[in-house]
Amino acid sequence: MTPAVLADLVRSTAETVLTEHGLDTAVLPATVTVERPRNPEHGDYATNVALQVAKKAGVPPRDLAGWLAEALAADVTITSAEIAGPGFINLRIAADAQGEIVRQVLDKGAGYGKGDALTGTRMNLEFVSANPTGPLHLGHSRWAACGDALGRVLTAAGAEVTREYYINDAGVQIDKFAASLIAAAKGEPAPEDGYAGAYVGDIAAEILRREPSALSLPDDERTQTFRDLGVALMLEEIKRSLSEFGTEFDVWSSEKSMYASGRVEASVEELKQHGHLYEADGAWWLKSSDLGDDKDRVVIKSDGVPAYIAADIAYLLDKLERGFDPCIYMLGSDHHGYIGRLKAIASAFDHDPAVVEVLIGQLVNLLRGGVPVKMSKRAGTMITLEDLVEAVGVDAARYALVRSSHTSTLDIDIELWTKRTNDNPVFYVQYAHARLSSLLRNASELGLTVPDAATTAAADLGLLTHEREGDLIRTIGELGRVISTAAELREPHRVARYLEDLASAYHKFYDSCRVLPQGDEQATGLTTARLALCAAARQVLANGLALLGVSAPERM
RNA sequence: GCCCUGGUAGCUCAGCGGAUAGAGCAGGAGCCUUCUAAGCUCUUGGCCGCAGGUUCGAGUCCUGCCCAGGGCACCA
C-alpha cells in the first residue's frame, strides 16, 4: 500500500460514501491529501478530506469523517480508521499491505521514485552561465549544484530537460578581459576596470606559449588573438571545473553566435514588425513597460550597436522556437531585474510570460569556524568553486549547496562540512548507505539470501510490525512524492531533507531491530523480511543521493 | 522612492492552509563482549520580526509597517 494507492482508496471510498448519502461527488478534489502525521499517535497516515469537502457538501465535517472512517475501516488493508480533532481521519495500515512498498522498491530498483507528474513537458534549464572572463565563484557553485540537482529531479518527475549554459563571449567585458590578458602578457598591471587575479597571468602565459609572437602582432590581430584564445582557455577551465563537480550541460550557447548566425538581427526585426520597438533619442527601445516590465529597454543603442538585451531577445526566441515550455533561468539575486524584461520579451513574441520562469538564488558565504573566509589565491577577491571543493570535497560541497532553499542566503562552514560526525548532514546520509552496504555484505558472507526483484515474493513482509520498521517503510514510501513536489516547486533541497529523514529512520531501525542472526541463531522469516527492508532502504538512499549528484559509498 | 529575497530555539536551517511548530549542533544525562558508536535514547531551550485581515483552521495566504541583504544604465 503506497501513499498513492492509499490516496486513491480514500478518494474512491469517499465517492461511495457521498453517493450513499445522496451528496454530490463533484466536491471531491482530483487527488485527496493523505499525509504522514507529525505525531505518530495520530496513526500511520491521516487525511483531511472530510474537512476539505464538508462545507461544500453541506454536512458537518465530523459526520462526514465518521461515515468515511467506517467505510475505510472495512477495507482489509486498513487496521484502524479514527476520527480526530475537527474531522481528520487517522489511518493505520496492515503490515503486509504496507510491505508492498518494500517490494515495489526492490522491483523498480534505480527507477523507484520516478514519476510522471511532468511527463510531456519540454523544459529548458539554463544555469551557471558565468562569463568566460574568470573562474567560477561561490554563487556559480550554488547554481551548479542546485541546477544540476534540479535537472535530475525534473527528469525523474518525467520532464524532458535540456540543460543549457549561455556563454557571454561578446561585448565589453570580453574586451576588458582581452586587454587585461595583454597587459599581463607584457608584465604590466591590469588596466583600470580590468581583470586582476592570478588566473589572468596564467592564461596570458598559456596564450604566449601557444602563440609566442602574439604580442608583436598588429593591434587588431593581437586583441583578436588574446580575446579568442583567452575566452577559449577560460571556457575550457570552466567546463573542466563543472565536469569535475559532476555538472554536465547538454547545450552550450554562445552570445557571439547569436550575432554571427543573424538571430539577433532577425529577432529585432521581428519585434519591429510587431510594433514592439520604437525609436527615440536615436536609439531603438523595446516597449517593455507595456508588457509588465518596470521600464522600456534600449535594444539598439544610439551609436547603432545592439545592447546586451538584444542577444537575450534572440536567445529567448531561439529557445521558444525550439519548443521549450517553460524556459527556466537560474539567476543570482543581483539579476532579479531580469525577470520583468525576460517575461516582456516572451510576451512580445506572443507567448504567455509564464513560459519564462526565473529562479533567484541568494548569496553564499564561506566560513571557517564561524569566521568569514575572504581571500582566494586564484581569483584575488572571489572565492572559487575550486576553493570550495578543495576545502570540503565534491560531495560535501554539492550537498551543502543544495541542502538549503536557494531563496535564503547560505553560510557554509568548512569546519562543519569536513567533520566526520552527524553534525555533518552529508556524512550522516552517506554513513547510512555505507552501514547498510556493510550489513548486506555481511549477510551474503553468512550465506543468507538478500531478497531482490526476483526473490522478493519469498519474503513475508507482513512480519515487519515493529514501530521502527513501519516508520522506515513509510519513509521509503515518500520518495515519489518528494520528487514530484521538489520538481513542481523547483526545490531540489527537499530531496536532501528527505534523505536526512530517511537516514534517521534507518539509524533508528538499526538501533532497535537486529537484522542478522547472532551466534548459533538460525535465520528466520523475520531475518529475510528485514534484509528485504534493508535492501530497499539502501536502494532509496542511493536513488536520492543520485538525484543530488552525491556519491553513495559502499564503505566509509 | 520603487522592486526582489530573507526575518522560526543560543547557532545553522526545515516546515506545497491542518492537530501540541521540527531537525542537527551547542548545554545537561545515558547506551558499545553483538550487524560500521561517523550511531541511538532522554532532557533544557520558541511574543514563528510587529500589527491588522481572509479562513472551520495561518509560521504558511492578503495588506501595512520594522529590520537585513540585493537590485533599480543608451554596463554586461
Side-chain angles (χ1 to χ4, degrees):
Chain A
M1 170 85 61
T2 62
V5 171
L6 179 60
D8 287 346
L9 173 65
V10 170
R11 194 185 188 283
S12 63
T13 307
E15 216 164 28
T16 308
V17 164
L18 287 171
T19 307
E20 279 171 2
H21 288 81
L23 298 167
D24 185 4
T25 58
V27 299
L28 282 172
T31 54
V32 305
T33 306
V34 174
E35 54 186 12
R36 300 183 62 206
R38 207 172 282 284
N39 185 342
E41 289 172 14
H42 291 154
D44 298 335
Y45 294 96
T47 179
N48 62 356
V49 65
L51 284 165
Q52 282 182 317
V53 305
K55 197 168 188 178
K56 290 186 208 158
V59 259
R62 283 189 62 99
D63 288 1
L64 180 55
W67 305 331
L68 192 48
E70 196 180 339
L72 283 166
D75 193 281
V76 290
T77 59
I78 292 178
T79 54
S80 82
E82 290 168 354
I83 318 167
F88 293 102
I89 302 167
N90 294 332
L91 301 166
R92 289 186 192 280
I93 309 300
D96 56 346
Q98 192 165 255
E100 283 307 311
I101 292 172
V102 171
R103 224 180 289 286
Q104 198 176 89
V105 175
L106 297 180
D107 196 43
K108 295 192 175 171
Y112 176 75
K114 290 185 180 168
D116 55 6
L118 298 178
T119 298
T121 55
R122 294 194 54 189
M123 296 186 157
N124 187 278
L125 184 62
E126 185 194 325
F127 60 112
V128 185
S129 294
N131 286 0
T133 54
L136 299 172
H137 57 65
L138 272 183
H140 300 131
S141 310
R142 186 173 204 173
W143 282 135
C146 290
D148 182 66
L150 180 58
R152 295 171 195 240
V153 166
L154 293 171
T155 303
E160 185 188 320
V161 181
T162 298
R163 302 138 162 269
E164 204 145 328
Y165 186 118
Y166 182 54
I167 308 161
N168 293 115
D169 53 0
V172 178
Q173 293 306 316
I174 297 296
D175 292 339
K176 287 180 181 171
F177 183 51
S180 304
L181 289 171
I182 291 169
K186 289 177 176 169
E188 294 170 2
E192 201 154 325
D193 288 355
Y195 292 87
Y199 71 93
V200 176
D202 296 347
I203 290 178
E206 178 61 20
I207 292 172
L208 288 179
R209 199 186 64 77
R210 295 193 187 190
E211 298 284 343
S213 59
L215 276 177
S216 39
L217 293 166
D219 273 12
D220 280 4
E221 284 178 49
R222 185 179 66 183
T223 300
Q224 183 79 23
T225 300
F226 274 87
R227 181 165 41 204
D228 291 354
L229 265 177
V231 166
L233 288 168
M234 196 67 243
L235 195 59
E236 210 172 279
E237 190 175 320
I238 288 172
K239 286 184 177 181
R240 186 179 46 74
S241 296
L242 287 168
S243 183
E244 284 170 6
F245 196 54
T247 300
E248 305 291 343
F249 291 85
D250 301 309
V251 176
W252 297 79
S253 289
S254 139
E255 179 183 6
K256 215 164 125 184
S257 77
M258 291 298 145
Y259 290 98
S261 64
R263 285 193 182 83
V264 171
E265 208 176 336
S267 56
V268 167
E269 193 53 39
E270 189 174 334
L271 287 182
K272 276 187 191 170
Q273 294 196 348
H274 284 69
H276 291 300
L277 295 191
Y278 64 92
E279 200 170 7
D281 305 326
W284 285 92
W285 297 70
L286 174 66
K287 210 160 170 33
S288 42
S289 61
D290 280 359
L291 302 168
D293 197 3
D294 296 339
K295 52 188 75 169
D296 292 348
R297 308 286 172 182
V298 169
V299 178
I300 308 290
K301 296 186 277 188
S302 52
D303 61 5
V305 176
Y308 182 79
I309 194 177
D312 281 341
I313 289 169
Y315 187 29
L316 178 51
L317 180 60
D318 179 59
K319 286 179 181 174
L320 294 172
E321 285 174 346
R322 282 186 279 150
F324 294 113
D325 184 3
C327 297
I328 303 177
Y329 291 77
M330 305 179 93
L331 304 175
S333 62
D334 53 340
H335 287 77
H336 93 266
Y338 275 46
I339 302 173
R341 77 193 69 170
L342 286 169
K343 285 178 175 289
I345 295 167
S347 299
F349 287 122
D350 294 325
H351 278 79
D352 184 338
V355 74
V356 169
E357 235 181 78
V358 183
L359 306 180
I360 295 297
Q362 300 297 315
L363 294 174
V364 181
N365 303 305
L366 196 61
L367 313 174
R368 180 179 272 119
V371 182
V373 175
K374 284 279 183 220
M375 299 294 284
S376 165
K377 286 169 282 181
R378 188 95 180 86
T381 56
M382 299 303 252
I383 296 159
T384 66
L385 170 59
E386 300 204 326
D387 293 334
L388 176 63
V389 169
E390 193 182 324
V392 303
V394 170
D395 281 346
R398 288 186 66 108
Y399 196 95
L401 288 164
V402 83
R403 167 175 202 262
S404 292
S405 164
H406 57 76
T407 56
S408 60
T409 55
L410 177 62
D411 290 337
I412 295 180
D413 197 315
I414 293 170
E415 215 165 79
L416 170 68
W417 290 94
T418 47
K419 274 191 186 171
R420 303 172 77 78
T421 66
N422 74 349
D423 309 24
N424 180 347
V426 70
F427 277 99
Y428 184 73
V429 173
Q430 288 183 315
Y431 176 58
H433 185 271
R435 211 180 197 189
L436 271 160
S437 301
S438 169
L439 191 156
L440 294 171
R441 272 195 306 272
N442 293 344
S444 298
E445 281 166 18
L446 288 172
L448 300 174
T449 303
V450 178
D452 59 16
T455 59
T456 173
D460 180 2
L461 302 172
L463 297 172
L464 300 173
T465 55
H466 192 284
E467 183 190 344
R468 297 275 173 91
E469 291 168 337
D471 196 46
L472 179 55
I473 293 169
R474 286 187 290 279
T475 305
I476 285 171
E478 291 298 302
L479 180 64
R481 298 206 286 200
V482 169
I483 289 175
S484 61
T485 304
E488 280 162 16
L489 299 176
R490 325 290 192 228
E491 292 183 350
H493 74 277
R494 289 171 183 275
V495 174
R497 300 296 173 152
Y498 166 73
L499 286 173
E500 289 165 34
D501 286 346
L502 177 58
S504 170
Y506 169 68
H507 287 309
K508 287 173 182 177
F509 156 79
Y510 179 91
D511 193 57
S512 28
C513 299
R514 175 80 202 186
V515 178
L516 300 178
Q518 313 181 69
D520 296 335
E521 288 176 11
Q522 292 298 304
T524 63
L526 182 59
T527 306
T528 307
R530 283 183 171 168
L531 283 172
L533 176 55
C534 286
R538 179 169 173 272
Q539 180 73 61
V540 175
L541 281 166
N543 292 1
L545 284 167
L547 288 171
L548 303 181
V550 175
S551 71
E554 304 279 326
R555 299 170 201 273
M556 290 177 76

